[in-house]
Amino acid sequence: MVINWKVTVQMCCFDWEYAFPLGTVEQPGWLREVWQGPAIRNLRKAHAENRYTVNSRCQTCETWGTRDEFDRYVDFNEASYFSVF
């Protein structure tokens, strides 16, 4: 999870322009709401379907995650807190 200096959760670490924010740390219940919210779920679904043209950042990316990483993100449980990618 990437949180920038504005306490905004970013789509990924390559979003240096802060163009694709997912939410903010300041809102109550932010962790589950942001990390399992509709914006990131739609992005994960698109990536699982090999649709990498969903936004301009993903279109040019050459550093894709693995299916194992995706499964850990979707299975949000206590054990996943300690997964190292």
Side-chain angles (χ1 to χ4, degrees), residues 52-84:
Y52 300 114
T53 59
V54 292
N55 63 52
S56 58
R57 174 57 57 204
C58 296
Q59 287 175 359
T60 60
C61 185
E62 296 178 5
T63 311
W64 300 108
T66 65
R67 180 65 194 203
D68 186 47
E69 287 175 307
F70 173 78
D71 290 341
R72 289 185 192 150
Y73 290 136
V74 173
D75 183 22
F76 190 66
N77 60 48
E78 189 172 329
S80 70
Y81 298 154
F82 305 103
S83 296
V84 176

Side-chain angles (χ1 to χ4, degrees), residues 13-63:
C13 61
F14 295 110
D15 185 15
W16 301 297
E17 299 89 12
Y18 309 128
F20 302 98
L22 300 176
T24 65
V25 172
E26 298 170 342
Q27 59 200 27
W30 70 272
L31 180 60
R32 184 172 300 277
E33 186 176 323
V34 170
W35 203 235
Q36 296 298 319
I40 195 68
R41 283 185 179 271
N42 290 336
L43 183 64
R44 290 181 187 132
K45 183 176 188 293
H47 285 189
E49 296 169 352
N50 296 319
R51 292 186 295 115
Y52 300 114
T53 59
V54 292
N55 63 52
S56 58
R57 174 57 57 204
C58 296
Q59 287 175 359
T60 60
C61 185
E62 296 178 5
T63 311

